[in-house]
Every structure is written in structure tokens, then in C-alpha cells.
């Protein structure tokens, strides 16, 4: 590693590497996203982060038919793919992407102050729309991540609008500065603001597994792990990922399961063995409702309007 | 008299030889026993009973009550417990439809112009539990009048003692009491009870719950000294701008009427406020005793006065000591249709509560009850609706002591007779206006009233749940009105027959009415105070949007509040051989069909009595109008 406070850029043939002493990013052109996020040599990603549109339907979602109306977002959550990548390094915009032979001009000593890379994900909905995830990495190596959703008429209301990170191993716990217990936009008045430490990745034990564990209005989140999948890594010390709000507080859930895994189980004991960490940072969260469980929708202001543009951002450090 | 299995088919036969319902006052031999809370007049019969399960009524043992019956092939079952949870019969959870849906065609007797049939006395789904209990009388019971007291048996039972038929009872959730004296021996009495899962009462007990059967509440023997206070009817009222109390009481005695009665009222410091002596007669009436500067009873200050009634023989020896703790409180509706408690607006921050334990079903313990009261107190829950049946008696005592406002609901729900797949279709509704179904529902109202009438915590009598309405619901409402002018009546089901609203229910009660709809009623010159008797359906991850209801409290004085549906998930802890763990199971998990599956779990509490995350929201909103 060179002694510099600039970003070290590796113009690969299928990926862009961005490194500082502490952070190492690999953005994969093939996978269409951030394939690797290493902090102090520990890997934080199992698969590329993607937009997420589905939450495991609640009893109320099923009872009022939202699950039927919103069903195409389940497909979009699982199968939407990257359709376009935009890369800017400092002031230079690369279009097409700087792969061979174009990148033959570069060396292993390329440096920059700012990398901005965006991935457009085209939803598998009808009509389709675009969700863009942009990573902006400044010379400190810290990334600001922004997701922008393009509103589209004719799509059903959204179950959730956020980003999903799947981490290689299960966290030992997390700590956040935000609201106590599990909260939703229509169920957070009783929560206290403070610092909360959660051991492990508890799944709220609703009789039928469903959306759970959301934490609204969070300023800061620190996830702690002590295991990796790296066979040569014998270190068992804790290591952490810190996520901070930017202009607005963020909402998150941190569970060992994806929405689809939760959706499939009829009982909590049917969930697979917990082995990963699934972090959802949600820009918009649908309320849980409760007027009844057989027809009445969540109150209108707590639904997510899919026809409107929306963006949110947060910072990794 | 001989037992007749056809009683199961006849809605007009619901109690044979049962003692009339009476107050639930505690009675002791003396003050020492009272202090130790142990009455030598009570002998528990809880414990192991001999038991034979029959898959249907055709295969039940017929002679098992006879003294020479060989019961060597009987098993043992704990009493109290649910037969199903001892794995004799299949668990089934079903909501509105009857449990025989898709299996047996039934219509209620006398509906659709029919007479009775043999649908229950020959019904193949009518499982039977035959119970035998051998007992010796406690020494203190020798030579006394003795009753047997079943606090709850689902759903129809026949009782024999030492080979003699004693009586028959229905109404699963109120006590059934019989006189055993004529056939009682000092030693080796044989009490035999046959419990049938179904009878015409099944049409009246279609509550949204796991459908169980058996002797699921305690059984005890009651011994009476030569004179016994059989019934106590207290009527404490308030006067002089809520400063003073007026005490009225009616005491009814059985046995020898030769002696004295001394009545004392003490405050919590042991100060005597009233002390008077009467000659013993069958009935003693205490009228309009003024008690000055009383403490009122409410949620924040559940102040109770101690009443003692000393029953003395002609030599003034104490032969029975009766005890009750009561409070002074007043509930009324103003001309503006606002409900006041002790002159102040009453806000119901309530929950509906089924009796539930994940291991033992509706056989719950005092410990469960105490835990639930603690949960109420911790989370600003101030009221409970005993959905949809009278609860175990100790629950009402706990509510008195802890200032929990009770809506005491009858054991009545005939949901499947008038609503099918969500649509109102009352073609064979019972009890509606059918004469043959009148006495049975009045009896349920009477048992609820007579047993529980002295509990200060009860502010509302609820006629039942989701049973449509007709002349019989009107008659139930009238029953309460004619017996009790210190409480309000409640019934929601009259929303389907608006013409009857002026004859049923002091409250305009809805369930799950969205806030905007509730507001429409409140805005348009409401004719009654408005209540959500069920709201905020807490199935799974729910309880969002509570604010829209709570703000109605600030905007409309006629909005009384509501009871959240409901307190605790109904799920059963079951061993899962796949995971090797004990896990919670719900409807449909026992091959039970038809089922309503996870709809059994709508609680603010998980079935293991831990709080759902939604509880912090309830605590907050219920804390706004404490």
C-alpha cells in the first residue's frame, strides 16, 4: 500500500477496485453491484447489495389482500437485475466502462479523490421501473450510499423500499441509536429514543413468521461479528461495521433471514438454520396497520406510493 | 329421577337439580381461618380422577356410576384439565363456524320450525369423558350439609354419587353446584361425572377459540354449618357529592334460624365503620346505612372495605364467618351520553382477555392471573372484557383489588347460526326470538349476575358476543336492568338489528369500526356512549395506527374507549420431533379441519406470556388518559 491519503483505484477487467488502508471495495461489472466490502481485512458481503421491495407479509397484509395486490414486488425483490453501470472517477466519466483493452493504459498506481459508481436495477414489474444505487467514496475511503427509486404509474403500493445487505456470517449483535423495540411508521409513538444493544439477531416470535424487527428513526447502527468465511482467518475478535444517517434518520432491520425465507415458513421452527446477517436499510417502511386483520388496509399515510420518486442515503464507516 | 341422554338434544333442559346461583362470598369457621385464607368448610377434590374416554357416545360406559362397577380399565386424568390436552381427543381451533362443519349436518332445535332431533344424543362427534372420584369426607365435614361445586365443565355433564343420580348441568363457564347430602357417606364416596363435548349448548358456545371439553376448572366440596349464609347481595352507593356512602345489603340464610348475625364493616386500617347485630331470620336486609367520608374505588385507588358477617348460634358462639371486600363507586351516563365513574369521565383503556395457558389451555392458574394483572398495571391497561364467558372467580377478586374495570360477559356466542363466510345470514339463528331458547339464555345471565354481583370491579354486564339479536337478547338485557341499577349493560350484536337498539345495551358498541366511521357516529348527536368492544386486532405484527382511535377520546366526550383484541395468543406448546424442540402450535397444526389456523393468535402477549413489541405502543397511548 502506498503512503497516500488518496484512493487507490484498480481498473480491472470485470471489476473496479477501490482501496484505502482500511477499506477495500470491489465493484463487479459482472454481478452488477458491490461484490466486496472489506474493512480492516474483514469481508462484509456475501452477495451484492440490491434494492429490496418485499417484506414478509404480515397477518394484516394477507388479511386485507395486500399480498395479492403487491405480489409482483416479490418477484422484483428476488430477480431484478442490474441494467446499467455509470462510473465517474474524480472528474472522469467512463462510458463505456474502463475494461480491456481500454484499461491497458492504467497501472497499479492509479489514485483518485472521489469515486462515484451507480448501478441501475430494472425491476421485473409490469410496467418496469428503475432503482439506482450509487456509491460515492471519498478520499477517506468512506462510502455514502444513495438509492433512488423512479416512481411509475400503474404499479401496486410497495411493501418496503430499501436496500438489502447479506453478510457472510451471523452477527453477534448490534447496537443502535434510535427507538426502543420494534417500530413501524404507525407504531412508534410509544418508543423511547436512546442507545440500544441487541444480542444476536432475534426474530420476533410471531406465530407465523412475518415482517419483524424494524427500527425506525435511527441515527447510527453498529453491527458486530466475530466470524468470517475466510478459511485462513483464525482471528475470533469482534469486528464492526458502522452505518450512519446522512440528512435524515434511517430505518433498518437486522435479522438472520431474508423476507423470502420468512415468507415461506408457517412456524418459527421451520426457518432455516441461522447463518447470515441480513441487513435491510429501508428508505420507506409500510405501516403494520391493525384496524382489523381481514380487509382494512393500513392507513393511507403509512402506505408507500409507488408512483412517486423517492431517494434516501446513508454512510458506511 | 334418572338421567336422560335426550337432555343433550333439548335446549329447554339445561339444569337439573342444580342449586340456584348465588354470591361467591368466602366463608370460614372463624377469624383464624380467615387470616390463613383456609376454610375448613371447603374440601378440594382437585387431583387425580379415574377416567375413561369414549370416542363417541355409543361406546361410553353406561354403568360406570354404579358402586359395584369395575373401573380397573380406567386411566387417571388430572382435574382440572382439558381432555384434549391429555391427548385423548383431537385439538381443534375454529372461529365462527361450528366444529362439525363439513362433517355433520345440524340445525338448532326449534329453528326453521323444527322440533328436537337426536343430533347430539346420537352424534358421532360427541366425545365423552367418564370421571370417577373416590373421596372420604374431611373430619370437619361430618354430619354437615354438603354440596359439590364444579367451577367449570365443558359442555354438558351428568353427576352421580354412590350410584344415585344427582343432577345435570350445562353452561361451561359458570359454577354447577349440587346437593350431595342425601347420599353421602363418611368414607369412600364415589362421585361419577360424565362429560359430553356437545349438546344444544354447543350452539350457544361458538366462541372463537380452541374447542375443548372436560372438567377444566376446580371441583370442591362445600360443607355448611347449621346456619349458612347462602347469598349475599351488596349494594354500596354514593351520596352527598361523592363524600359519603350508603350501604345496603340483603343476606339470605339456610339451615337453623336460631341465633344472631353480627355485621361489621372495617376500613383498611381496621377502623370499624359499622357494627350491628340482627336476630337470625331467613332474610336480613340492611338498609341505607350512611358511612361518612368514604374513600371511592377506582383504577388508581382501588380502595376496598372489609365486610364481616358473623353468624352466631343462640349462645352467641361463632358458627360461620363470611367475608367480602367491596368498594364504593358509581357509574352513570349523563344526559350528554358521557359515561362517568364517580362523577368523572370514564376512559376504557381495555383489553379482551381469553383465559389461556399454552400448556393447559383454559385451565389457568392463579399465578397466570396475577401475572396478567401485573402486565395490565405495567402497561396502563385499566379494563378487561371477559371475552366471551365468565372467568374463574379469583380473577374478579384480583380485579377488585387492583382497580381493573370489568365488562363481565355472559357465556354466549352463536356466531355460526347467523353469519356465514362474513355475510349476515340469520335464517337459523339462536337464541333470537325462539321461546324454547329463552330460559337457557336467561339462566346464563342469571348465573353470571348472581355469582358475581358483589364485585366492585364489574361496571358492565355484557349479554354475550356475536349472537345476533331478538326477543331473547332483549329479555337478557331486561334481566340485568331489573336486577341491577348500579351497572350498565352492553351488547354489540344489536348493530345488525338497529330497531332493537332502544331495548338492548346502554352503550353503542362496535367492533373494529374504523376511526373515521366511529367519528361519524360521534359527530351526529350520539344517542348512546360509544365503545369499541373489540379494536386494534393484534394478530401477528400489528397494532399500527392506534393514534387515530386515541385522539377520538380528546375530541368526543361520548367516546368511552375500547378493548383491544386481544390479550394473549392462543397457541399450544407442543413437542416437535423434527427440531427436537418445544414449539408453539396453532389451529390446523393438529390435523384439525375445518380450522381457522393462525387466527387463534391475536394477542398483545405471545402465548408464553411475554410481551409483543406492540405493547410499548399500548402503554404509551393508554398512558395518555390514565
Amino acid at each position: 500500500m502506498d503512503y497516500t491519503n488518496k484512493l487507490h483505484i484498480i481498473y480491472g477487467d470485470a471489476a473496479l477496485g477501490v482501496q484505502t488502508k482500511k477499506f477495500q471495495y470491489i465493484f463487479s461489472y459482472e454481478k452488477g453491484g458491490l461484490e466486496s466490502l472489506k474493512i480492516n481485512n474483514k469481508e462484509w458481503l456475501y452477495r451484492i447489495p440490491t434494492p429490496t421491495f418485499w417484506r414478509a407479509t404480515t397477518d394484516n397484509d394477507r388479511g386485507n389482500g395486500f399480498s395479492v395486490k403487491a405480489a409482483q414486488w416479490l418477484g422484483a425483490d428476488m430477480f431484478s437485475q442490474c441494467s446499467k453501470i455509470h462510473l465517474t472517477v474524480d472528474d472522469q466519466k467512463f462510458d463505456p466502462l474502463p475494461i480491456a483493452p481500454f484499461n491497458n493504459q492504467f497501472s497499479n498506481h492509479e489514485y483518485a479523490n472521489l469515486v462515484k459508481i451507480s448501478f441501475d436495477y430494472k425491476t421485473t414489474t409490469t410496467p418496469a421501473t428503475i432503482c439506482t444505487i450509487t456509491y460515492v467514496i471519498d478520499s477517506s475511503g468512506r462510502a455514502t450510499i444513495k438509492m433512488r427509486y423512479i416512481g411509475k404509474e400503474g404499479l401496486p403500493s410497495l411493501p418496503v423500499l430499501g436496500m438489502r445487505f447479506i453478510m457472510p456470517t451471523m452477527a453477534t449483535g448490534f447496537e443502535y441509536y434510535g427507538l426502543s423495540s420494534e417500530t413501524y411508521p404507525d407504531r412508534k409513538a410509544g418508543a423511547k429514543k436512546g442507545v440500544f444493544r441487541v444480542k444476536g439477531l432475534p426474530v420476533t416470535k410471531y406465530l407465523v413468521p412475518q415482517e419483524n424487527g424494524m427500527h425506525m428513526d435511527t441515527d447510527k447502527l453498529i453491527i458486530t461479528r466475530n466470524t468470517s468465511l475466510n478459511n485462513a482467518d483464525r482471528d475470533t475478535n469482534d469486528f464492526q461495521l458502522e452505518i450512519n444517517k446522512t440528512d435524515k434518520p434511517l430505518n433498518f432491520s437486522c435479522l438472520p433471514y431474508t423476507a423470502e425465507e420468512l415468507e415461506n415458513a408457517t412456524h418459527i421452527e421451520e426457518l432455516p438454520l441461522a447463518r447470515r446477517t441480513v441487513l435491510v436499510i429501508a428508505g420507506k417502511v409500510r405501516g403494520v396497520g391493525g384496524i382489523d386483520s381481514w380487509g382494512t388496509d393500513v392507513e393511507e399515510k403509512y402506505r408507500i406510493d409507488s408512483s412517486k420518486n423517492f431517494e434516501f442515503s446513508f454512510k458506511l464507516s | 329421577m334418572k338421567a336422560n341422554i335426550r337432555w343433550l338434544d333439548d335446549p329447554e333442559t339445561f339444569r337439573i337439580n342444580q342449586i340456584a346461583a348465588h354470591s361467591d362470598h368466602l366463608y370460614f369457621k372463624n377469624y383464624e381461618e380467615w387470616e390463613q385464607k383456609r376454610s375448613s368448610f371447603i374440601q378440594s377434590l382437585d387431583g387425580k380422577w379415574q377416567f375413561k374416554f369414549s370416542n363417541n357416545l355409543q361406546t361410553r360406559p353406561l354403568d360406570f356410576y354404579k358402586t359395584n362397577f369395575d373401573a380397573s380399565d380406567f386411566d387417571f386424568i388430572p382435574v382440572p384439565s382439558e381432555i384434549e390436552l391429555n391427548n385423548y381427543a383431537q385439538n381443534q381451533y375454529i372461529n365462527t363456524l361450528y366444529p362439525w362443519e363439513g362433517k355433520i349436518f345440524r340445525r338448532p332445535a326449534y329453528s326453521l320450525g323444527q322440533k328436537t332431533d337426536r343430533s347430539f344424543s346420537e352424534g358421532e362427534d360427541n366425545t365423552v369423558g367418564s370421571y370417577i372420584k373416590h373421596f372420604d369426607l374431611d373430619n370437619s365435614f361430618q354430619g354437615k350439609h354438603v354440596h359439590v361445586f364444579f367451577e367449570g365443565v365443558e359442555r354438558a355433564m351428568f353427576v352421580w354419587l354412590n350410584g344415585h343420580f344427582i343432577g345435570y348441568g350445562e353452561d361451561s363457564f359458570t359454577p354447577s353446584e349440587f346437593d350431595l347430602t342425601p347420599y353421602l357417606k363418611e368414607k369412600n364416596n364415589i362421585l361419577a361425572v360424565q362429560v359430553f363435548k356437545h349438546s344444544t349448548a354447543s350452539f350457544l358456545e361458538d366462541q372463537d377459540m380452541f374447542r375443548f371439553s372436560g372438567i377444566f376448572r376446580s371441583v370442591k366440596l362445600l360443607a355448611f354449618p347449621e346456619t349458612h349464609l347462602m347469598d349475599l347481595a351488596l349494594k354500596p352507593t354514593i351520596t352527598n357529592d361523592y363524600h359519603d356512602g350508603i350501604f345496603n345489603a340483603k343476606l339470605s340464610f339456610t339451615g337453623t334460624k336460631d341465633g344472631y348475625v353480627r355485621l361489621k364493616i372495617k376500613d383498611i386500617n381496621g377502623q370499624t365503620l359499622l357494627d350491628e347485630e340482627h336476630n337470625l331470620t331467613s332474610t336480613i336486609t340492611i338498609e341505607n346505612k350512611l358511612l361518612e367520608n368514604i374513600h371511592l374505588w377506582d383504577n388508581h385507588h382501588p380502595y376496598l372495605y372489609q365486610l364481616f358477617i358473623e353468624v352466631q348460634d343462640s349462645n352467641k358462639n361463632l358458627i360461620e364467618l363470611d367475608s367480602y371486600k367491596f368498594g364504593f363507586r358509581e357509574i352513570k351516563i349523563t344526559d350528554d351520553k358521557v359515561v362517568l365513574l364517580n362523577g368523572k369521565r370514564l376512559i376504557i383503556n381495555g383489553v379482551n382477555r381469553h383465559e389461556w395457558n399454552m400448556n393447559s389451555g383454559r385451565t389457568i392458574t392463579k399465578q397466570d392471573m396475577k401475572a396478567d394483572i401485573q402486565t395490565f398495571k405495567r402497561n396502563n391497561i385499566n379494563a378487561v372484557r371477559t371475552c366471551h364467558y365468565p372467568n374463574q372467580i379469583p380473577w374478579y377478586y384480583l380485579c377488585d383489588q387492583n382497580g381493573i374495570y370489568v365488562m363481565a360477559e355472559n357465556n354466549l356466542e352463536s356466531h355460526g347460526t347467523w353469519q356465514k363466510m362474513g355475510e349476515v345470514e340469520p335464517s337459523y339463528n339462536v337464541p333470537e326470538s325462539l321461546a324454547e331458547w329463552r330460559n337457557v339464555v336467561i339462566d346464563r345471565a342469571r348465573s353470571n349476575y348472581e355469582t358475581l354481583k358483589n364485585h366492585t370491579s364489574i361496571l358492565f354486564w355484557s349479554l354475550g358476543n356475536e349472537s345476533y339479536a331478538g326477543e331473547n337478547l332483549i329479555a337478557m338485557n331486561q334481566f340485568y336492568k331489573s336486577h341491577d341499577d348500579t351497572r350498565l349493560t352492553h351488547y354489540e350484536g344489536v348493530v345488525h338489528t338497529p330497531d332493537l337498539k332502544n331495548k338492548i345495551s346502554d352503550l353503542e358498541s362496535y367492533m373494529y369500526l374504523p376511526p373515521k366511521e366511529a367519528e361519524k357516529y360521534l359527530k351526529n348527536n350520539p344517542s348512546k356512549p360509544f365503545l369499541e368492544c373489540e379494536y386494534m386486532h393484534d394478530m401477528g405484527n400489528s397494532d399500527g395506527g392506534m393514534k387515530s382511535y386515541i385522539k377520538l377520546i380528546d375530541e368526543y366526550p361520548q367516546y368511552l374507549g375500547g378493548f383491544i383484541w386481544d390479550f394473549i395468543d392462543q397457541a399450544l406448546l407442543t413437542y416437535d420431533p423434527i427440531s427436537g424442540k418445544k414449539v408453539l402450535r396453532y389451529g390446523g397444526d393438529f390435523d384439525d379441519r375445518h380450522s381457522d389456523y393462525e387466527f387463534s393468535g391475536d394477542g398483545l402477549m405471545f402465548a408464553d406470556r411475554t410481551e409483543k413489541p406492540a405493547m410499548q405502543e399500548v402503554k404509551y397511548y393508554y398512558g395518555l388518559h390514565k
Side-chain angles (χ1 to χ4, degrees), chain A:
Chain A
M1 179 73 61
D2 295 271
Y3 291 95
T4 168
N5 43 21
K6 286 191 162 194
L7 298 170
H8 181 199
I9 312 294
I10 297 96
Y11 291 97
D13 291 328
L16 181 81
V18 180
Q19 299 180 350
T20 65
K21 194 162 192 257
K22 184 176 174 186
F23 297 96
Q24 294 167 284
Y25 301 85
I26 298 172
F27 293 98
S28 166
Y29 307 145
E30 287 175 305
K31 300 292 176 195
L34 176 59
E35 187 183 4
S36 173
L37 164 63
K38 275 169 112 173
I39 304 173
N40 295 328
N41 245 352
K42 299 283 189 179
E43 180 59 57
W44 280 93
L45 293 176
Y46 183 66
R47 292 290 183 268
I48 61 161
T50 58
T52 184
F53 306 109
W54 193 251
R55 71 174 185 189
T57 49
T58 63
D59 288 308
N60 290 345
D61 286 340
R62 291 188 294 276
N64 64 34
F66 178 74
S67 50
V68 179
K69 283 181 273 185
Q72 55 175 317
W73 289 119
L74 171 61
D77 186 79
M78 294 185 78
F79 302 121
S80 295
Q81 280 188 333
C82 178
S83 55
K84 183 103 177 75
I85 302 171
H86 313 266
L87 173 65
T88 307
V89 178
D90 285 337
D91 295 329
Q92 192 179 358
K93 203 169 168 184
F94 293 98
D95 187 15
L97 291 168
I99 54 175
F102 180 85
N103 61 355
N104 291 341
Q105 65 182 291
F106 295 123
S107 70
N108 197 33
H109 304 282
E110 304 295 333
Y111 299 94
N113 286 312
L114 193 79
V115 171
K116 183 175 170 186
I117 184 164
S118 297
F119 300 87
D120 291 346
Y121 298 90
K122 188 177 174 193
T123 64
T124 59
T125 53
T126 310
T129 187
I130 298 288
C131 216
T132 303
I133 295 175
T134 302
Y135 300 84
V136 178
I137 302 166
D138 67 20
S139 56
S140 73
R142 292 183 179 83
T144 299
I145 303 175
K146 183 195 286 184
M147 186 172 114
R148 180 155 197 266
Y149 166 86
I150 309 294
K152 192 94 173 177
E153 292 290 342
L155 286 172
S157 177
L158 278 150
V160 68
L161 188 54
M163 261 183 85
R164 176 176 53 225
F165 296 81
I166 300 181
M167 297 163 190
T169 61
M170 197 164 146
T172 57
F174 58 92
E175 178 182 321
Y176 66 97
Y177 179 63
L179 300 181
S180 58
S181 190
E182 179 189 274
T183 45
Y184 289 87
D186 57 353
R187 200 187 74 206
K188 60 177 190 174
K192 306 256 186 303
K193 185 111 190 185
V195 175
F196 301 96
R197 286 178 192 87
V198 178
K199 268 196 178 171
L201 299 177
V203 175
T204 314
K205 53 195 176 180
Y206 297 115
L207 274 185
V208 176
Q210 54 195 274
E211 161 64 29
N212 73 91
M214 188 56 69
H215 299 282
M216 302 295 295
D217 302 345
T218 306
D219 290 352
K220 178 179 181 169
L221 165 67
I222 298 170
I223 298 173
T224 303
R225 292 161 56 214
N226 63 8
T227 53
S228 76
L229 296 181
N230 177 356
N231 58 301
D233 182 0
R234 296 193 184 91
D235 176 24
T236 57
N237 290 316
D238 285 351
F239 53 97
Q240 297 179 322
L241 173 70
E242 185 179 321
I243 296 165
N244 284 283
K245 69 168 182 177
T246 52
D247 49 336
K248 281 186 212 142
L250 54 92
N251 315 306
F252 77 97
S253 68
C254 194
L255 299 167
Y257 303 116
T258 63
E260 287 77 14
E261 285 171 318
L262 291 166
E263 185 77 63
N264 267 338
T266 67
H267 295 79
I268 202 155
E269 65 273 16
E270 294 165 14
L271 290 166
L273 296 175
R275 61 173 77 243
R276 311 217 194 275
T277 303
V278 179
L279 171 69
V280 170
I281 308 276
K284 284 253 187 203
V285 178
R286 171 178 158 84
V288 287
I291 290 173
D292 61 43
S293 302
W294 49 85
T296 306
D297 201 352
V298 168
E299 289 181 290
E300 197 170 349
K301 60 185 161 186
Y302 305 118
R303 300 176 205 160
I304 307 173
D305 184 348
S306 57
S307 70
K308 299 245 169 39
N309 293 343
F310 181 73
E311 62 178 54
F312 67 97
S313 62
F314 51 95
K315 268 193 289 199
L316 297 185
S317 49

Side-chain angles (χ1 to χ4, degrees), chain B residues 4-258:
Chain B
N4 185 345
I5 196 70
R6 294 296 314 279
W7 293 339
L8 299 178
D9 299 316
D10 178 11
E12 295 183 279
T13 305
F14 46 86
R15 57 192 299 151
I16 302 280
N17 295 343
Q18 263 193 55
I19 304 296
H22 56 78
S23 63
D24 65 349
H25 59 281
L26 304 173
Y27 70 106
F28 304 90
K29 196 168 180 187
N30 50 41
Y31 282 98
E32 256 181 275
E33 287 192 2
W34 173 79
E35 268 168 26
Q36 291 163 5
K37 296 187 172 118
R38 253 191 98 82
S39 175
S40 58
F41 295 131
I42 310 271
Q43 180 179 344
S44 172
L45 292 186
D46 290 351
K48 275 186 176 178
W49 290 38
Q50 284 176 282
F51 180 74
K52 182 81 176 174
F53 177 74
S54 308
N55 230 340
N56 54 50
L57 172 144
Q58 287 77 9
T59 56
R60 75 191 191 279
L62 291 173
D63 294 335
F64 85 110
Y65 62 87
K66 292 185 175 163
T67 50
N68 60 357
F69 180 76
D70 175 11
S72 54
D73 70 333
F74 273 43
D75 305 330
F76 286 94
I77 194 170
V79 167
S81 71
E82 312 276 13
I83 291 174
E84 289 72 10
L85 297 183
N86 287 280
N87 298 322
Y88 288 104
Q90 189 175 14
N91 294 325
Q92 184 182 9
Y93 164 69
I94 188 166
N95 176 8
T96 66
L97 292 167
Y98 283 94
W100 50 79
E101 176 68 15
K103 296 169 192 161
I104 292 180
F105 181 88
R106 283 195 173 108
R107 290 291 179 267
Y110 302 108
S111 69
L112 304 166
Q114 311 174 112
K115 298 287 180 214
T116 61
D117 57 16
R118 293 176 184 268
S119 182
F120 293 108
S121 64
E122 294 179 359
E124 287 186 9
D125 59 344
N126 208 352
T127 58
V128 185
S130 301
Y131 295 76
I132 298 173
K133 179 70 172 177
H134 290 254
F135 66 91
D136 300 336
L137 284 182
D138 281 357
N139 288 336
S140 55
F141 273 54
Q142 308 294 346
K144 294 197 167 63
H145 247 84
V146 174
H147 289 183
V148 63
F149 185 94
F150 296 89
E151 208 185 322
V153 178
E154 280 194 86
R155 179 161 295 103
M157 75 167 156
F158 295 78
V159 182
W160 293 264
L161 181 74
N162 297 330
H164 300 277
F165 177 63
I166 295 293
Y168 172 76
E170 294 180 0
D171 190 353
S172 309
F173 297 92
T174 56
S176 297
E177 185 175 341
F178 302 95
D179 186 5
L180 298 182
T181 316
Y183 307 114
L184 204 59
K185 302 185 294 182
E186 284 186 12
K187 298 237 178 272
N188 199 25
N189 290 286
I190 303 174
L191 182 67
V193 183
Q194 207 155 46
V195 178
F196 294 79
K197 187 155 183 170
H198 292 302
S199 74
T200 49
S202 298
F203 277 111
L204 303 177
E205 298 182 9
D206 192 31
Q207 289 95 340
D208 173 11
M209 59 192 190
F210 273 92
R211 308 303 174 99
F212 293 131
S213 61
I215 304 176
F216 74 101
R217 289 182 183 165
S218 285
V219 183
K220 57 195 176 189
L221 297 174
L222 312 175
F224 303 138
E226 58 263 37
T227 307
H228 170 63
L229 178 69
M230 199 65 191
D231 188 63
L232 170 68
L234 302 175
K235 190 178 169 187
T237 58
I238 299 169
T239 188
N240 296 334
D241 200 22
Y242 303 98
H243 290 301
D244 303 332
I246 299 175
F247 180 76
N248 281 279
K250 192 176 162 194
L251 286 55
S252 306
F253 294 92
T254 57
T256 316
K257 311 293 183 331
D258 187 15

